[in-house]
Amino acid sequence: MFKKDITPGAKSKVKSSAQRAIRAKVLEQYPLLEPYIDDILPKKDQLDLVKLPDRVSLYTLGSTPLFFQHMDDPLLPHLALVHKYPDCFHRLRIDRGAIRFVLSGATLMAPGLTSPGGRLPNDPEDEEGRYGKEELAPGEVVVIEAEGKENACMVGVLKMGTEEMKKAKKGQACEAGHYLGDGLWGLSLG
Amino acid sequence: MAEPTAYPKKVLYCGVCSLPPEYCEFGGTVKKCEEWLKSNHPHLHEKLYSQEALEQNLSSLSLEAQKRAEKDAQKKAAKAASAEAKAQAERASSKVLIKRIERNKRKYVTAVQGLEHFGLDIKKVAKDFGKKFATGSSVTRIPGGGEEITVQGDLSDDIYDYVIETYKDVPEDNVECVEDKKKKAAG
């Protein structure tokens, strides 16, 4: 989505009613964020909406980006937020070989997740249960971590269910929404 | 990895490429990132760039994939380096022109060109000029393409000082004050 560097458009304040709606939506989508919601979206503070190219809108609090959204698609968390609250999202892991493709903005392919270095939910090698037990359906928002790295490198929307991925082991798995080093990452909010 | 979770987690970002340091190796500016980390966070540097860590990184890939990745990385590094060199050259060669234009006898406007080469948002700068000098200040298109800032009043010397004072990215030698090119000599 943000392969090229982007220039932010108009910045406007979010109405407090709309702000409540966003808060509710965030909680609905990411119930695990509940304990921290007051840190992320304080009730009193003024949210800003920054318009980005291609009908993407970005919600920010001061100069920290929080969530972005393409038209009325689900809210996606900004990676800086993911880094702060890594456990609150559905996570998958890719193997080392796939990192460089992801960081140059490629669509994530299934082999990167199914190979030994990758992790899907219910993975036999995932002893801690870090990657969850539930299979995920297409359309879910996932955070992509990488083998041997602590922090997440991408946020995207699943194109294929995880169950199907395990069977097919090929094809596009996850659309690149926002990755480390992309235009949204490099965006500076004055 | 599974440390007790105290939120929000603080993540360190590299000062060179802005990624978390563990991802620097994919950014194309590895050398610089490594140096930055070494001087700023030696502890982490040791962890990330130790011999063991490097070897472990390599061992998890097949030989062929390693070669491909290496080639790719080299290409990326070269690209990043050349882009940077280009940007720097442009920066060195581009000039900020402060022009004093006679509008009417004894009335002047001041036009400032070229600030955008130094990574400044000229719209914002125009606003700042207006505030600082308490005059009208706007961004206007110029016939040759591009934009310039037009400030009302004869402010060329003040703007010169202000630009050098506030925008440290702009080297003093690159700022130039000129009279209007038209033959009308200033009064």
Side-chain angles (χ1 to χ4, degrees):
Chain A
M1 227 187 283
F2 309 105
K3 246 186 168 171
K4 293 231 172 80
D5 284 346
I6 47 180
T7 42
K11 188 173 169 186
S12 58
K13 288 179 175 148
V14 177
K15 273 194 289 187
S16 66
S17 58
Q19 208 167 317
R20 275 201 302 276
I22 292 165
R23 196 182 155 105
K25 210 166 166 195
V26 168
L27 282 178
E28 186 194 341
Q29 261 185 51
Y30 309 107
L32 289 170
L33 278 178
E34 173 123 45
Y36 318 110
I37 190 79
D38 281 327
D39 293 335
I40 302 170
L41 295 168
K43 265 189 186 145
K44 286 278 150 61
D45 286 13
Q46 177 66 54
L47 271 184
D48 287 318
L49 171 76
V50 180
K51 285 194 179 151
L52 302 178
D54 296 329
R55 297 184 184 168
V56 175
S57 38
L58 172 72
Y59 294 104
T60 64
L61 186 74
S63 59
T64 34
L66 297 174
F67 293 92
F68 65 97
Q69 186 177 31
H70 175 247
M71 295 175 77
D72 273 335
D73 293 356
L75 285 163
L76 298 176
H78 189 271
L79 270 174
L81 184 74
V82 175
H83 288 162
K84 281 184 198 148
Y85 305 95
D87 293 343
C88 304
F89 304 94
H90 293 303
R91 286 178 297 175
L92 302 174
R93 198 178 88 174
I94 51 172
D95 61 13
R96 227 193 114 73
I99 300 176
R100 70 194 174 95
F101 297 107
V102 166
L103 291 197
S104 49
T107 304
L108 182 57
M109 304 305 233
L113 289 162
T114 51
S115 68
R119 293 279 182 279
L120 285 165
N122 249 335
D123 209 297
E125 287 164 69
D126 174 25
E127 282 144 14
E128 300 163 37
R130 189 174 158 85
Y131 296 95
K133 290 273 177 261
E134 283 163 49
E135 299 292 342
L136 301 173
E140 288 269 7
V141 177
V142 286
V143 167
I144 308 293
E145 295 182 336
E147 180 185 6
K149 310 281 179 195
E150 259 174 62
N151 297 310
C153 62
M154 184 174 119
V155 176
V157 176
L158 274 188
K159 270 191 151 179
M160 192 195 280
T162 49
E163 216 160 338
E164 199 184 336
M165 252 182 251
K166 282 181 199 167
K167 274 182 216 142
K169 300 209 172 175
K170 60 181 167 187
Q172 302 183 334
C174 177
E175 207 156 352
H178 166 38
Y179 55 90
L180 278 182
D182 69 356
L184 181 61
W185 178 258
L187 193 66
S188 67
L189 298 156
Chain B
M1 252 194 202
E3 66 237 32
T5 36
Y7 288 130
K9 203 168 141 188
K10 280 237 164 56
V11 178
L12 177 80
Y13 297 112
C14 171
V16 178
C17 61
S18 85
L19 306 183
E22 47 185 10
Y23 285 105
C24 280
E25 48 179 323
F26 298 99
T29 48
V30 196
K31 273 243 169 77
K32 273 199 185 143
C33 296
E34 187 181 343
E35 276 160 25
W36 178 85
L37 199 65
K38 198 169 186 177
S39 58
N40 288 286
H41 303 273
H43 189 67
L44 204 63
H45 174 268
E46 232 161 75
K47 192 173 136 202
L48 284 175
Y49 291 94
S50 67
Q51 199 62 34
E52 273 166 68
L54 291 178
E55 263 166 33
Q56 198 195 348
N57 283 349
L58 288 177
S59 64
S60 62
L61 285 177
S62 73
L63 258 178
E64 201 185 331
Q66 260 179 51
K67 258 185 217 152
R68 253 182 297 148
E70 181 134 336
K71 220 164 143 195
D72 215 60
Q74 263 172 12
K75 221 160 77 189
K76 223 169 173 181
K79 218 165 145 190
S82 78
E84 198 179 327
K86 214 167 146 194
Q88 215 159 40
E90 196 188 287
R91 194 164 278 203
S93 68
S94 54
K95 285 232 152 104
V96 175
L97 269 186
I98 300 173
K99 248 198 274 181
R100 183 165 92 136
I101 304 168
E102 192 175 295
R103 183 171 58 85
N104 216 328
K105 271 278 174 256
R106 296 187 50 226
K107 302 277 184 203
Y108 296 92
V109 292
T110 311
V112 185
Q113 291 178 1
L115 280 175
E116 67 273 17
H117 299 299
F118 297 93
L120 295 167
D121 184 356
I122 52 175
K123 251 179 163 170
K124 290 215 175 97
V125 177
K127 181 93 182 158
D128 287 347
F129 280 169
K131 270 191 202 150
K132 165 86 184 156
F133 302 117
T135 56
S137 170
S138 64
V139 176
T140 32
R141 295 234 164 84
I142 41 180
E147 290 176 324
E148 64 176 17
I149 302 173
T150 312
V151 189
Q152 290 175 13
D154 177 9
L155 293 165
S156 42
D157 293 338
D158 301 290
I159 290 181
Y160 182 86
D161 293 339
Y162 180 70
V163 165
I164 288 162
E165 183 93 339
T166 23
Y167 307 112
K168 302 287 183 206
D169 282 352
V170 184
E172 192 172 345
D173 295 344
N174 287 17
V175 186
E176 214 176 335
C177 277
V178 286
E179 289 281 308
D180 184 15
K181 277 188 211 124
K182 273 182 256 161
K183 249 192 359 207
K184 273 185 224 159

